[in-house]
Amino acid sequence: MAPRRKKIYEGKAKILYEGPEPGTLIQYFKDDATAFNAQKKAVFEGKGVLNNRLSEYFMTGLGNVGVPTHFIRTLNMREQLIRQVEIIPLEVIVRNFAAGSIAKRLGLEEGLALPRPVVEYSYKNDALGDPMVSEEYIVAFGWANQQDLDDIVALALRVNDFLSGVFYAVGIKLIDFKIEIGRVWDGDFMRLIVADEISPDSCRLWDVKTGQKLDKDVFRRDLGSLTDAYTEVARRLGVLPTNATAMAKPTLIN
Ligand code: UDP
């Protein structure tokens, strides 16, 4: 049966549908994984359920410490209600340790602690492969102004401090992550809020003791089961989806 609601946008890992009220959208998490600008693709059963739950957990936590996000509430295993925002076409990346593209670009050993958290930007454009851009580019091309950028850096660093602590508490080192920022209007007043998702798809997460990778690099670098890695993250944080918990441990009712 074809769904009656209107599809607004379909991306690589998520679909956005029209929400029940104006100014809201429904965000659906797919099981699809892509890497290297979608040249590598696979489907991992249950990934969408895990990312829906994990993103809810991080966004709710951020809200509780005063960082505004698009998250409203979870609707079901794969869907959450979110605020409609105007997405700024940037990937905002925060790095605590060298890995991935910065390691390659600067010839750094993966895992090297950076002297301070480093914020960088990529222009969201699949055809161009999301090129890295400077603040100069961002202001010159009008994607954001200097005030927006100050707010974006402040938001990104608050998210970094929050996530670093939450992960460290369960024995995980937050190497780097990507967030997206959206604009919302309250009358004439514009605010920037955290949008999109926060999940192991968009973070690098290493076990503190063993260095084992618990993020999308497992798929990018063929290191094992992506679902197992994400399940481990969810298990440590105590947020395994209820059916997975039920499957893991059936209980007798007497
Ligand atoms: N990242 C992402 N989406 C992208 C590019 C990067 O979520 O399109 C995340 C990635 O998972 C990592 C961080 O941003 O946690 C930094 O990625 P990097 O620039 O090192 O790029 P990569 O090595 O993934 O190409």
Side-chain angles (χ1 to χ4, degrees):
M1 200 173 64
R4 268 173 303 164
R5 60 192 179 187
K6 192 167 150 207
K7 192 191 278 189
I8 305 286
Y9 174 81
E10 177 154 7
K12 286 170 280 199
K14 298 185 296 291
I15 306 174
L16 293 177
Y17 295 101
E18 204 169 57
E21 297 139 37
T24 66
L25 294 175
I26 293 168
Q27 180 163 253
Y28 175 100
F29 287 77
K30 302 196 278 187
D31 284 341
D32 302 58
T34 63
F36 310 118
N37 202 18
Q39 289 170 49
K40 181 169 178 172
K41 290 183 198 171
V43 175
F44 295 95
E45 207 182 324
K47 179 178 83 89
V49 175
L50 288 159
N51 281 357
N52 184 33
R53 185 70 188 90
L54 284 164
S55 203
E56 172 197 3
Y57 181 72
F58 298 127
M59 296 284 185
T60 305
L62 284 168
N64 287 341
V65 298
V67 179
T69 82
H70 72 164
F71 180 80
I72 301 173
R73 67 174 178 273
T74 289
L75 297 172
N76 56 53
M77 300 276 284
R78 286 187 183 273
E79 293 179 329
Q80 46 186 245
L81 186 67
I82 58 171
R83 280 192 74 168
Q84 183 163 28
V85 303
E86 185 186 300
I87 287 282
I88 295 181
L90 298 173
E91 307 208 319
V92 179
I93 294 169
V94 183
R95 303 178 185 274
N96 299 305
F97 299 87
S101 64
I102 196 176
K104 209 186 247 176
R105 193 179 309 120
L106 301 182
L108 303 176
E109 192 184 333
E110 289 212 313
L112 176 81
L114 301 175
R116 52 172 234 189
V118 172
V119 180
E120 67 179 55
Y121 311 94
S122 297
Y123 175 49
K124 268 171 70 73
N125 184 313
D126 283 341
L128 300 174
D130 298 341
M132 186 175 175
V133 290
S134 66
E135 293 205 350
E136 281 276 320
Y137 283 32
I138 294 166
V139 174
F141 291 105
W143 300 319
N145 64 28
Q146 195 57 53
Q147 175 63 55
D148 296 333
L149 282 170
D150 292 348
D151 293 350
I152 289 170
V153 169
L155 273 176
L157 293 177
R158 290 181 78 190
V159 172
N160 184 44
D161 285 346
F162 174 79
L163 290 180
S164 293
V166 166
F167 281 123
Y168 190 70
V170 296
I172 294 173
K173 205 147 96 164
L174 178 62
I175 302 295
D176 59 29
F177 65 94
K178 182 259 317 187
I179 52 172
E180 295 184 22
I181 304 289
R183 296 179 193 280
V184 290
W185 276 270
D186 298 319
D188 282 345
F189 185 66
M190 190 276 295
R191 286 191 308 137
L192 298 176
I193 68 176
V194 178
D196 189 51
E197 73 178 300
I198 298 177
S199 77
D201 268 4
S202 51
C203 301
R204 281 198 173 91
L205 306 170
W206 295 6
D207 181 84
V208 167
K209 287 210 187 95
T210 66
Q212 186 193 354
K213 293 181 172 48
L214 297 169
D215 56 63
K216 206 163 92 175
D217 274 349
V218 171
F219 166 61
R220 293 191 191 96
R221 304 180 188 190
D222 298 316
L223 300 175
S225 160
L226 191 78
T227 315
D228 285 358
Y230 289 21
T231 302
E232 175 63 11
V233 173
R235 189 192 64 75
R236 288 196 196 184
L237 292 168
V239 298
L240 268 188
T242 37
N243 80 324
T245 317
M247 281 190 308
K249 199 179 176 205
T251 43
L252 276 180
I253 299 168
N254 45 41

